[in-house]
Amino acid sequence: MDRPTFLKSVIDWLRAGYPNGVPQGDYIPLVALLRRQLTEDEVQDVAVSLIKEARPPSDEISKIDAGVEITKVTEDLPNDTDLNRVRRVLEGAGWPFDDHPLGPPPSE
């Protein structure tokens, strides 16, 4: 689902729940429910930061490292959507991404 369609579905949902408008006392709880997502520029910045910090150029960038960088930007726990977006940028640039850095090493 693209962002405009998603946003429209959220607005429609809010309008159905609050046909007369959102009461002033409900604004803060509603905003608290919204999770911050990285912008496209922030996804690029996170990927560049991870590449700069990678040890040897062939070293995998871990999901944990990506999550830490995302947390620095959003000040919240990373969500799967943002992790996948960062992974796509890294893999598109030729960097391997380790989804399971705490698991056993792959058998050779």
Side-chain angles (χ1 to χ4, degrees):
M1 179 182 298
D2 64 355
R3 198 172 290 223
T5 303
F6 175 73
L7 185 56
K8 182 179 178 338
S9 69
V10 170
I11 291 170
D12 290 345
W13 176 78
L14 284 171
R15 286 183 177 153
Y18 294 101
N20 298 322
V22 177
Q24 189 156 357
D26 289 354
Y27 279 110
I28 293 175
L30 279 174
V31 171
L33 293 174
L34 301 175
R35 294 207 56 193
R36 167 118 156 58
Q37 277 194 314
L38 296 176
T39 65
E40 290 303 317
D41 288 340
E42 290 170 335
V43 169
Q44 293 293 326
D45 292 345
V46 167
V48 167
S49 178
L50 289 165
I51 289 170
K52 285 181 180 177
E53 293 177 12
R55 305 224 165 51
S58 62
D59 196 19
E60 289 183 331
I61 294 174
S62 79
K63 185 175 184 177
I64 292 171
D65 292 337
V68 168
E69 287 300 314
I70 291 169
T71 300
K72 288 178 186 177
V73 175
T74 63
E75 296 181 1
D76 198 0
L77 293 175
N79 60 50
D80 287 338
T81 302
D82 283 337
L83 284 166
N84 289 330
R85 293 169 63 212
V86 170
R87 176 201 352 234
R88 283 192 300 272
V89 170
L90 292 169
E91 289 175 343
W95 286 86
F97 192 85
D98 184 2
D99 262 324
H100 307 286
L102 301 178
S107 57
E108 293 184 26

XYZ file of all heavy atoms in Angstrom:
848
model
N 0.859 -1.177 0.000
C 0.000 0.000 0.000
C 0.900 1.234 0.000
O 1.794 1.357 0.820
C -0.899 -0.021 1.244
C -1.815 1.154 1.349
S -2.855 1.191 2.834
C -3.824 -0.268 2.671
N 0.688 2.146 -0.944
C 1.505 3.347 -0.997
C 1.092 4.318 0.106
O 0.033 4.186 0.721
C 1.450 3.987 -2.373
C 0.047 4.475 -2.748
O -0.887 4.233 -1.996
O -0.064 5.105 -3.809
N 1.942 5.271 0.353
C 1.735 6.190 1.475
C 0.440 6.995 1.362
O -0.301 7.098 2.346
C 2.944 7.107 1.608
C 3.020 7.775 2.950
C 4.304 8.500 3.096
N 5.376 7.524 3.206
C 6.367 7.613 4.053
N 6.463 8.633 4.832
N 7.292 6.692 4.106
N 0.100 7.594 0.194
C -1.158 8.356 0.116
C -2.390 7.490 0.382
O -3.329 7.924 1.059
C -1.166 8.901 -1.313
C 0.266 8.939 -1.710
C 0.909 7.778 -1.016
N -2.392 6.258 -0.120
C -3.530 5.364 0.119
C -3.632 5.014 1.600
O -4.720 5.006 2.177
C -3.392 4.085 -0.726
O -3.277 4.460 -2.095
C -4.571 3.161 -0.535
N -2.489 4.751 2.212
C -2.467 4.421 3.638
C -2.965 5.611 4.458
O -3.795 5.459 5.364
C -1.063 4.017 4.073
C -0.953 3.784 5.553
C -1.513 2.657 6.131
C -0.307 4.698 6.359
C -1.427 2.444 7.496
C -0.220 4.495 7.728
C -0.778 3.361 8.292
N -2.456 6.792 4.128
C -2.863 7.989 4.867
C -4.362 8.226 4.731
O -5.041 8.536 5.708
C -2.084 9.206 4.364
C -2.303 10.501 5.118
C -1.998 10.348 6.599
C -1.454 11.596 4.517
N -4.903 8.050 3.530
C -6.338 8.211 3.322
C -7.128 7.205 4.163
O -8.147 7.550 4.759
C -6.697 8.062 1.850
C -8.187 8.279 1.600
C -8.539 8.152 0.153
C -10.004 8.309 -0.150
N -10.974 8.107 0.846
N -6.633 5.949 4.245
C -7.349 4.950 5.045
C -7.331 5.319 6.530
O -8.315 5.105 7.236
C -6.778 3.555 4.822
O -5.487 3.435 5.361
N -6.237 5.910 6.996
C -6.169 6.346 8.398
C -7.144 7.494 8.638
O -7.884 7.506 9.631
C -4.724 6.755 8.778
C -4.691 7.429 10.139
C -3.796 5.553 8.760
N -7.163 8.452 7.726
C -8.085 9.588 7.871
C -9.535 9.120 7.832
O -10.366 9.549 8.642
C -7.794 10.656 6.798
C -6.445 11.320 7.096
C -8.908 11.705 6.743
C -5.925 12.219 6.008
N -9.852 8.222 6.906
C -11.212 7.677 6.834
C -11.590 6.963 8.133
O -12.714 7.086 8.623
C -11.352 6.713 5.651
C -11.299 7.425 4.310
O -11.445 8.668 4.275
O -11.101 6.721 3.292
N -10.658 6.225 8.698
C -10.894 5.509 9.952
C -11.158 6.508 11.082
O -12.083 6.328 11.880
C -9.684 4.619 10.253
C -9.765 3.901 11.550
C -10.483 2.774 11.833
C -9.083 4.245 12.764
N -10.288 2.410 13.144
C -9.430 3.289 13.737
C -8.207 5.273 13.122
C -8.938 3.326 15.035
C -7.711 5.317 14.413
C -8.089 4.336 15.348
N -10.354 7.579 11.128
C -10.555 8.591 12.166
C -11.904 9.293 12.003
O -12.610 9.529 12.986
C -9.430 9.627 12.131
C -8.101 9.177 12.717
C -7.017 10.206 12.422
C -8.216 8.944 14.215
N -12.258 9.592 10.786
C -13.543 10.264 10.536
C -14.720 9.368 10.908
O -15.739 9.847 11.401
C -13.637 10.700 9.086
C -12.773 11.898 8.794
C -12.914 12.381 7.379
N -12.114 13.579 7.194
C -11.602 13.952 6.038
N -11.824 13.229 4.954
N -10.890 15.040 5.949
N -14.582 8.067 10.673
C -15.650 7.137 11.060
C -15.772 7.068 12.574
O -16.871 7.018 13.124
C -15.370 5.746 10.485
N -14.655 7.090 13.263
C -14.668 7.013 14.727
C -15.045 8.319 15.397
O -15.558 8.340 16.510
N -14.758 9.423 14.715
C -15.047 10.755 15.255
C -15.822 11.565 14.211
O -15.292 12.515 13.625
C -13.749 11.487 15.614
C -12.975 10.867 16.739
C -11.861 10.068 16.490
C -13.329 11.084 18.068
C -11.124 9.502 17.522
C -12.613 10.532 19.110
C -11.500 9.740 18.832
O -10.787 9.195 19.853
N -17.080 11.220 13.958
C -17.836 11.916 12.894
C -18.013 13.414 13.151
O -18.177 14.188 12.226
C -19.178 11.200 12.866
C -19.266 10.459 14.149
C -17.872 10.216 14.625
N -17.951 13.837 14.406
C -18.104 15.261 14.747
C -16.764 15.931 15.011
O -16.716 17.013 15.577
C -19.011 15.419 15.966
C -20.405 14.894 15.697
O -20.922 15.075 14.599
N -21.000 14.219 16.660
N -15.670 15.270 14.654
C -14.329 15.806 14.909
C -13.741 15.206 16.174
O -14.463 14.687 17.038
N -12.434 15.266 16.266
C -11.726 14.699 17.419
C -11.851 15.657 18.601
O -11.499 16.836 18.493
C -10.237 14.463 17.078
C -9.473 13.940 18.292
C -10.094 13.507 15.906
N -12.359 15.160 19.744
C -12.425 16.009 20.937
C -11.009 16.443 21.347
O -10.046 15.691 21.197
C -13.042 15.108 22.008
C -13.710 14.010 21.254
C -12.945 13.842 19.986
N -10.873 17.636 21.837
C -9.563 18.189 22.169
C -8.780 17.279 23.116
O -7.576 17.124 22.970
C -9.712 19.576 22.781
C -8.379 20.268 22.935
C -8.503 21.764 22.981
O -9.578 22.308 22.837
N -7.400 22.433 23.162
N -9.434 16.639 24.048
C -8.746 15.772 25.003
C -8.202 14.488 24.387
O -7.395 13.794 24.999
N -8.630 14.168 23.173
C -8.172 12.927 22.525
C -7.000 13.132 21.569
O -6.460 12.167 21.040
C -9.328 12.279 21.753
C -10.379 11.674 22.667
O -10.157 11.662 23.903
O -11.416 11.230 22.160
N -6.599 14.367 21.311
C -5.502 14.602 20.366
C -4.198 13.941 20.807
O -3.549 13.256 20.028
C -5.250 16.105 20.176
C -6.193 16.757 19.209
C -7.153 17.648 19.645
C -6.111 16.480 17.849
C -8.021 18.254 18.767
C -6.980 17.082 16.955
C -7.929 17.968 17.424
O -8.792 18.563 16.548
N -3.817 14.161 22.044
C -2.524 13.633 22.518
C -2.497 12.113 22.477
O -1.536 11.528 21.960
C -2.182 14.199 23.916
C -1.922 15.700 23.775
C -0.976 13.487 24.520
C -1.701 16.431 25.069
N -3.523 11.401 22.972
C -3.482 9.938 22.857
C -3.439 9.455 21.403
O -2.763 8.478 21.096
C -4.762 9.473 23.548
C -5.144 10.580 24.467
C -4.658 11.830 23.799
N -4.133 10.147 20.498
C -4.101 9.741 19.091
C -2.711 9.929 18.493
O -2.196 9.065 17.785
C -5.115 10.536 18.275
C -6.546 10.059 18.347
C -7.467 11.027 17.616
C -6.682 8.668 17.760
N -2.081 11.048 18.787
C -0.731 11.299 18.274
C 0.247 10.297 18.861
O 1.159 9.827 18.175
C -0.297 12.756 18.574
C 1.169 12.969 18.251
C -1.155 13.730 17.786
N 0.064 9.918 20.116
C 0.958 8.947 20.743
C 0.895 7.586 20.054
O 1.866 6.831 20.074
C 0.619 8.808 22.228
N -0.235 7.275 19.437
C -0.374 5.996 18.740
C 0.384 5.957 17.417
O 0.693 4.884 16.899
C -1.852 5.690 18.487
C -2.692 5.411 19.718
C -4.159 5.271 19.320
C -2.214 4.157 20.418
N 0.655 7.127 16.849
C 1.345 7.183 15.566
C 2.829 6.912 15.779
O 3.460 7.488 16.651
C 1.147 8.557 14.919
C -0.291 8.958 14.652
C -0.338 10.389 14.125
C -0.936 8.001 13.662
N 3.383 6.031 14.959
C 4.813 5.721 15.052
C 5.560 6.496 13.998
O 5.116 6.628 12.877
C 5.037 4.229 14.843
C 4.412 3.459 16.004
C 5.059 2.176 16.269
N 6.476 2.308 16.513
C 7.292 1.290 16.520
N 6.853 0.097 16.294
N 8.560 1.448 16.760
N 6.714 6.943 14.368
C 7.554 7.697 13.439
C 8.210 6.760 12.450
O 8.684 5.700 12.815
C 8.624 8.423 14.253
C 9.752 8.989 13.450
C 9.824 10.485 13.575
N 11.104 11.081 13.334
C 11.818 10.976 12.228
N 11.422 10.196 11.260
N 12.946 11.630 12.075
N 8.214 7.121 11.179
C 8.920 6.366 10.151
C 10.007 7.253 9.565
O 9.899 8.472 9.563
C 7.983 5.956 9.024
C 7.211 4.704 9.315
C 6.586 4.176 8.030
O 6.014 4.929 7.274
N 6.700 2.891 7.812
N 11.053 6.613 9.072
C 12.129 7.350 8.435
C 11.650 7.956 7.120
O 10.892 7.336 6.375
C 13.303 6.418 8.128
C 14.036 5.783 9.304
C 15.089 4.813 8.792
C 14.666 6.843 10.185
N 12.123 9.155 6.830
C 11.895 9.735 5.516
C 12.852 9.059 4.531
O 13.785 8.348 4.947
C 12.183 11.251 5.521
O 13.573 11.453 5.786
C 11.329 11.980 6.551
N 12.663 9.291 3.246
C 13.575 8.699 2.250
C 15.000 9.198 2.465
O 15.957 8.432 2.342
C 13.095 9.015 0.830
C 11.821 8.287 0.455
C 11.933 6.767 0.576
O 12.957 6.196 0.159
O 10.998 6.160 1.101
N 15.168 10.485 2.785
C 16.506 11.025 3.048
C 17.128 10.380 4.281
O 18.335 10.099 4.301
C 16.449 12.550 3.239
C 16.194 13.298 1.946
O 16.425 12.722 0.853
O 15.760 14.469 2.022
N 16.322 10.151 5.316
C 16.843 9.512 6.531
C 17.254 8.068 6.263
O 18.257 7.591 6.813
C 15.811 9.588 7.653
C 15.622 10.994 8.193
C 14.441 11.127 9.129
O 13.484 10.320 9.044
O 14.456 12.061 9.952
N 16.512 7.361 5.415
C 16.898 5.990 5.048
C 18.275 6.025 4.392
O 19.160 5.227 4.733
C 15.850 5.347 4.099
C 16.374 4.045 3.515
C 14.546 5.103 4.843
N 18.470 6.960 3.470
C 19.770 7.094 2.803
C 20.867 7.435 3.810
O 21.960 6.871 3.764
C 19.708 8.183 1.714
C 18.827 7.849 0.554
C 19.357 6.693 -0.271
O 20.556 6.519 -0.429
N 18.454 5.875 -0.786
N 20.580 8.363 4.725
C 21.572 8.768 5.733
C 21.957 7.598 6.629
O 23.142 7.421 6.955
C 21.039 9.915 6.592
C 20.887 11.219 5.816
O 21.457 11.332 4.705
O 20.193 12.129 6.327
N 20.976 6.800 7.037
C 21.257 5.630 7.879
C 22.131 4.644 7.114
O 23.126 4.132 7.645
C 19.948 4.953 8.359
C 20.214 3.573 8.951
C 19.240 5.837 9.380
N 21.805 4.398 5.866
C 22.588 3.460 5.055
C 24.024 3.956 4.885
O 24.982 3.180 5.038
C 21.927 3.246 3.694
N 24.196 5.231 4.591
C 25.540 5.799 4.423
C 26.331 5.684 5.717
O 27.506 5.309 5.719
C 25.458 7.266 3.945
C 26.799 7.962 4.064
C 24.945 7.331 2.523
N 25.691 5.971 6.835
C 26.355 5.856 8.140
C 26.803 4.422 8.403
O 27.919 4.185 8.879
C 25.410 6.334 9.241
O 25.994 6.194 10.502
N 25.938 3.458 8.092
C 26.283 2.048 8.293
C 27.446 1.626 7.389
O 28.340 0.890 7.818
C 25.069 1.163 8.033
C 23.970 1.258 9.086
C 22.676 0.645 8.556
C 24.398 0.570 10.374
N 27.447 2.101 6.159
C 28.537 1.766 5.236
C 29.857 2.360 5.729
O 30.895 1.696 5.707
C 28.196 2.254 3.808
C 27.077 1.380 3.236
C 29.427 2.234 2.903
C 26.482 1.905 1.938
N 29.820 3.594 6.211
C 31.035 4.241 6.731
C 31.603 3.494 7.929
O 32.814 3.454 8.126
C 30.748 5.693 7.111
C 30.609 6.612 5.923
C 30.349 8.027 6.390
C 30.199 8.973 5.217
N 29.885 10.340 5.647
N 30.726 2.927 8.756
C 31.163 2.233 9.967
C 31.517 0.767 9.731
O 32.091 0.125 10.605
C 30.078 2.328 11.042
C 29.868 3.735 11.565
C 28.738 3.821 12.572
O 28.251 2.773 13.038
O 28.329 4.951 12.884
N 31.168 0.232 8.546
C 31.455 -1.184 8.261
C 32.962 -1.389 8.257
O 33.718 -0.560 7.771
C 30.841 -1.588 6.929
N 33.380 -2.509 8.792
C 34.817 -2.772 8.902
C 35.413 -3.072 7.527
O 35.675 -2.164 6.780
C 35.020 -3.872 9.916
C 34.344 -3.447 11.237
C 35.095 -3.682 12.452
N 34.574 -2.955 13.591
C 33.334 -2.910 14.027
N 32.380 -3.534 13.416
N 33.020 -2.239 15.105
N 35.653 -4.297 7.177
C 36.110 -4.526 5.800
C 34.929 -4.321 4.856
O 33.784 -4.544 5.244
C 36.561 -5.983 5.780
C 36.392 -6.506 7.147
C 35.690 -5.492 7.988
N 35.191 -3.884 3.625
C 34.074 -3.619 2.715
C 33.165 -4.817 2.482
O 32.002 -4.637 2.156
C 34.763 -3.216 1.414
C 36.107 -2.755 1.829
C 36.464 -3.532 3.064
N 33.649 -6.019 2.683
C 32.804 -7.189 2.442
C 32.070 -7.648 3.695
O 31.306 -8.599 3.652
C 33.646 -8.340 1.890
O 34.616 -8.700 2.862
N 32.311 -6.964 4.822
C 31.681 -7.354 6.081
C 30.185 -7.096 6.017
O 29.735 -6.069 5.516
C 32.290 -6.552 7.231
C 31.992 -7.142 8.591
O 31.644 -8.331 8.648
O 32.119 -6.408 9.582
N 29.402 -8.058 6.507
C 27.949 -7.885 6.535
C 27.558 -6.796 7.519
O 28.179 -6.628 8.559
C 27.266 -9.192 6.951
C 27.336 -10.268 5.914
C 26.590 -11.516 6.342
O 26.491 -11.788 7.553
O 26.095 -12.212 5.450
N 26.518 -6.066 7.180
C 25.947 -5.080 8.086
C 24.768 -5.766 8.758
O 23.905 -6.330 8.110
C 25.506 -3.823 7.319
C 26.748 -3.140 6.741
C 24.723 -2.889 8.223
C 26.459 -1.968 5.852
N 24.760 -5.749 10.091
C 23.741 -6.521 10.805
C 22.460 -5.727 11.024
O 22.444 -4.498 11.036
C 24.289 -6.993 12.156
O 24.252 -5.947 13.109
N 21.412 -6.489 11.212
C 20.103 -5.928 11.520
C 20.176 -5.131 12.825
O 19.522 -4.098 12.955
C 19.087 -7.064 11.635
C 17.670 -6.634 11.834
C 16.750 -7.838 11.818
C 15.299 -7.455 11.913
N 14.418 -8.627 11.815
N 20.988 -5.591 13.748
C 21.143 -4.887 15.030
C 21.772 -3.516 14.808
O 21.299 -2.505 15.331
C 21.972 -5.722 16.027
C 21.187 -6.964 16.427
C 22.354 -4.891 17.257
C 21.976 -7.960 17.241
N 22.859 -3.469 14.013
C 23.505 -2.193 13.729
C 22.545 -1.237 13.024
O 22.495 -0.043 13.336
C 24.757 -2.390 12.875
C 25.866 -3.103 13.642
O 25.860 -3.049 14.885
O 26.733 -3.705 12.981
N 21.770 -1.756 12.073
C 20.790 -0.928 11.370
C 19.749 -0.399 12.354
O 19.370 0.771 12.305
C 20.123 -1.718 10.250
N 19.290 -1.261 13.264
C 18.314 -0.847 14.266
C 18.836 0.243 15.177
O 18.106 1.180 15.528
N 20.105 0.143 15.555
C 20.717 1.167 16.412
C 20.748 2.512 15.684
O 20.406 3.548 16.259
C 22.137 0.736 16.849
C 22.893 1.890 17.495
C 22.066 -0.448 17.804
N 21.145 2.498 14.414
C 21.195 3.740 13.641
C 19.799 4.343 13.463
O 19.634 5.561 13.551
C 21.846 3.509 12.278
C 23.337 3.297 12.345
C 24.090 4.480 12.943
O 23.815 5.640 12.570
O 24.964 4.247 13.791
N 18.817 3.509 13.216
C 17.442 4.001 13.073
C 16.964 4.621 14.380
O 16.341 5.680 14.394
C 16.498 2.869 12.616
C 16.817 2.467 11.170
C 15.028 3.278 12.760
C 16.128 1.198 10.709
N 17.290 3.987 15.495
C 16.896 4.492 16.809
C 17.511 5.862 17.085
O 16.869 6.726 17.683
C 17.296 3.495 17.906
O 16.628 2.259 17.656
C 16.926 4.001 19.292
N 18.726 6.084 16.614
C 19.369 7.396 16.791
C 18.570 8.491 16.086
O 18.517 9.623 16.554
C 20.794 7.370 16.242
C 21.761 6.569 17.073
C 23.126 6.563 16.407
C 24.102 5.654 17.118
N 25.410 5.607 16.420
N 17.953 8.155 14.971
C 17.192 9.136 14.200
C 15.779 9.309 14.757
O 15.307 10.430 14.942
C 17.126 8.731 12.710
C 16.232 9.673 11.918
C 18.521 8.669 12.102
N 15.093 8.189 15.015
C 13.679 8.256 15.400
C 13.459 8.377 16.902
O 12.351 8.700 17.331
C 12.925 7.004 14.929
O 13.472 5.852 15.578
C 13.002 6.858 13.422
N 14.492 8.069 17.684
C 14.368 8.034 19.143
C 13.281 7.062 19.579
O 12.554 7.292 20.547
C 14.122 9.435 19.695
C 15.271 10.384 19.443
C 15.048 11.772 19.996
O 13.977 12.028 20.611
O 15.933 12.609 19.821
N 13.137 5.985 18.810
C 12.153 4.947 19.098
C 12.705 3.626 18.575
O 13.629 3.618 17.763
C 10.826 5.276 18.413
C 9.644 4.509 18.989
O 9.842 3.716 19.932
O 8.520 4.706 18.495
N 12.136 2.526 19.027
C 12.579 1.232 18.524
C 12.303 1.142 17.028
O 11.280 1.625 16.554
C 11.850 0.102 19.259
C 12.185 -0.051 20.733
C 11.304 -1.124 21.366
C 13.652 -0.423 20.905
N 13.219 0.538 16.281
C 13.008 0.451 14.830
C 11.862 -0.491 14.495
O 11.628 -1.477 15.189
C 14.337 -0.110 14.317
C 14.906 -0.852 15.475
C 14.446 -0.120 16.706
N 11.146 -0.190 13.420
C 10.093 -1.095 12.982
C 10.593 -1.864 11.755
O 11.577 -1.479 11.109
C 8.791 -0.345 12.709
C 8.924 0.707 11.640
O 9.434 0.445 10.560
N 8.462 1.919 11.935
N 9.921 -2.946 11.446
C 10.350 -3.805 10.337
C 10.333 -3.074 8.998
O 11.172 -3.323 8.139
C 9.476 -5.064 10.258
C 9.783 -6.046 11.381
O 10.884 -5.984 11.948
O 8.905 -6.876 11.683
N 9.391 -2.172 8.823
C 9.305 -1.436 7.565
C 10.575 -0.626 7.324
O 11.163 -0.672 6.241
C 8.071 -0.510 7.558
O 6.905 -1.291 7.752
C 7.973 0.274 6.262
N 11.013 0.119 8.351
C 12.228 0.919 8.192
C 13.463 0.035 8.037
O 14.355 0.342 7.242
C 12.403 1.874 9.368
C 11.483 3.081 9.289
O 11.038 3.412 8.164
O 11.214 3.700 10.326
N 13.527 -1.056 8.784
C 14.662 -1.974 8.640
C 14.741 -2.532 7.217
O 15.822 -2.600 6.622
C 14.560 -3.118 9.652
C 14.924 -2.758 11.085
C 14.463 -3.851 12.039
C 16.412 -2.519 11.228
N 13.596 -2.889 6.662
C 13.571 -3.419 5.294
C 13.950 -2.352 4.271
O 14.622 -2.649 3.280
C 12.210 -4.024 4.965
C 11.978 -5.319 5.707
O 12.911 -6.056 6.004
N 10.732 -5.607 6.030
N 13.529 -1.124 4.498
C 13.891 -0.049 3.584
C 15.392 0.202 3.589
O 16.010 0.379 2.534
C 13.131 1.227 3.961
C 11.624 1.103 3.723
C 10.832 2.233 4.323
N 11.172 3.516 3.735
C 11.124 4.662 4.425
N 10.737 4.671 5.696
N 11.440 5.791 3.839
N 16.001 0.206 4.782
C 17.456 0.380 4.890
C 18.169 -0.807 4.242
O 19.137 -0.637 3.504
C 17.879 0.570 6.363
C 19.392 0.494 6.518
C 17.344 1.888 6.913
N 17.679 -2.020 4.488
C 18.277 -3.213 3.894
C 18.278 -3.122 2.367
O 19.269 -3.423 1.718
C 17.545 -4.485 4.317
C 18.110 -5.707 3.606
C 17.193 -6.911 3.535
N 16.008 -6.781 4.298
C 15.607 -7.657 5.205
N 16.297 -8.741 5.419
N 14.498 -7.466 5.856
N 17.166 -2.699 1.783
C 17.088 -2.593 0.315
C 18.121 -1.618 -0.235
O 18.739 -1.869 -1.264
C 15.674 -2.204 -0.125
C 14.696 -3.365 -0.068
C 13.380 -3.041 -0.785
N 12.663 -1.901 -0.226
C 11.784 -1.972 0.761
N 11.498 -3.132 1.323
N 11.172 -0.881 1.195
N 18.316 -0.499 0.462
C 19.316 0.475 0.013
C 20.713 -0.127 0.109
O 21.521 -0.010 -0.822
C 19.227 1.782 0.843
C 20.411 2.696 0.562
C 17.918 2.499 0.557
N 20.995 -0.796 1.222
C 22.319 -1.405 1.399
C 22.577 -2.491 0.360
O 23.642 -2.528 -0.267
C 22.454 -1.984 2.812
C 22.502 -0.960 3.942
C 22.364 -1.649 5.294
C 23.784 -0.144 3.880
N 21.604 -3.373 0.184
C 21.775 -4.453 -0.780
C 21.868 -3.905 -2.202
O 22.616 -4.428 -3.020
C 20.650 -5.475 -0.648
C 20.760 -6.284 0.623
C 19.607 -7.243 0.861
O 18.530 -7.091 0.223
O 19.756 -8.137 1.700
N 21.139 -2.825 -2.479
C 21.223 -2.191 -3.792
C 22.605 -1.614 -4.065
O 23.033 -1.502 -5.214
N 23.303 -1.254 -2.986
C 24.663 -0.726 -3.119
C 25.703 -1.843 -3.042
O 26.900 -1.573 -3.034
C 24.928 0.319 -2.034
N 25.237 -3.097 -2.937
C 26.150 -4.234 -2.934
C 26.645 -4.669 -1.566
O 27.577 -5.467 -1.465
N 26.034 -4.182 -0.504
C 26.443 -4.557 0.852
C 25.589 -5.710 1.359
O 24.369 -5.632 1.328
C 26.301 -3.368 1.801
C 27.366 -2.362 1.566
C 27.339 -1.354 0.648
C 28.620 -2.295 2.211
N 28.498 -0.660 0.699
C 29.315 -1.207 1.648
C 29.236 -3.042 3.210
C 30.585 -0.840 2.042
C 30.512 -2.672 3.620
C 31.171 -1.594 3.036
N 26.224 -6.765 1.864
C 25.446 -7.882 2.438
C 24.794 -7.452 3.749
O 25.343 -6.656 4.496
C 26.490 -8.969 2.660
C 27.808 -8.283 2.673
C 27.660 -7.000 1.896
N 23.610 -7.978 3.996
C 22.844 -7.625 5.194
C 22.576 -8.890 5.977
O 22.087 -9.875 5.431
C 21.521 -6.959 4.784
C 20.786 -6.310 5.921
C 21.091 -5.026 6.324
C 19.787 -6.988 6.595
C 20.410 -4.410 7.355
C 19.095 -6.393 7.643
C 19.413 -5.104 8.016
N 22.901 -8.870 7.266
C 22.711 -10.036 8.128
C 21.435 -9.852 8.938
O 21.388 -9.080 9.881
C 23.922 -10.195 9.055
C 23.843 -11.434 9.918
O 22.883 -12.211 9.788
O 24.762 -11.632 10.734
N 20.396 -10.604 8.551
C 19.111 -10.525 9.254
C 19.131 -11.212 10.619
O 18.318 -10.920 11.477
C 18.017 -11.199 8.421
C 17.219 -10.204 7.630
O 16.981 -9.094 8.115
O 16.845 -10.542 6.500
N 20.028 -12.159 10.808
C 20.054 -12.959 12.038
C 21.460 -12.964 12.643
O 22.100 -14.006 12.719
C 19.600 -14.388 11.739
C 18.286 -14.448 11.026
N 17.095 -14.188 11.651
C 17.970 -14.706 9.732
C 16.103 -14.286 10.776
N 16.606 -14.596 9.609
N 21.941 -11.790 13.102
C 23.317 -11.719 13.599
C 23.574 -12.525 14.872
O 24.711 -12.835 15.175
C 23.529 -10.221 13.840
C 22.157 -9.676 14.048
C 21.256 -10.520 13.193
N 22.535 -12.881 15.588
C 22.728 -13.634 16.837
C 22.551 -15.132 16.637
O 22.739 -15.901 17.576
C 21.762 -13.130 17.912
C 21.895 -11.642 18.257
C 20.854 -11.241 19.297
C 23.282 -11.310 18.743
N 22.185 -15.538 15.433
C 22.004 -16.967 15.140
C 23.322 -17.645 14.871
O 24.375 -17.010 14.816
N 23.293 -18.960 14.710
C 24.522 -19.688 14.414
C 25.054 -19.293 13.040
O 24.284 -18.903 12.151
C 24.089 -21.155 14.425
C 22.620 -21.113 14.184
C 22.128 -19.812 14.739
N 26.383 -19.331 12.858
C 26.930 -18.964 11.557
C 26.457 -19.948 10.492
O 26.201 -21.132 10.786
C 28.447 -19.062 11.760
C 28.643 -19.872 12.977
C 27.401 -19.764 13.797
N 26.298 -19.470 9.257
C 25.846 -20.365 8.204
C 26.871 -21.467 7.947
O 28.068 -21.234 8.047
C 25.695 -19.456 6.977
C 26.465 -18.218 7.308
C 26.565 -18.130 8.795
N 26.385 -22.681 7.666
C 27.304 -23.785 7.407
C 27.870 -23.644 6.004
O 27.190 -23.222 5.077
C 26.579 -25.130 7.558
O 25.474 -25.149 6.675
N 29.140 -23.976 5.885
C 29.776 -23.835 4.578
C 29.922 -25.161 3.894
O 29.955 -26.181 4.339
C 31.150 -23.196 4.758
C 30.972 -21.769 5.249
C 32.313 -21.056 5.362
O 33.261 -21.399 4.660
O 32.382 -20.152 6.175
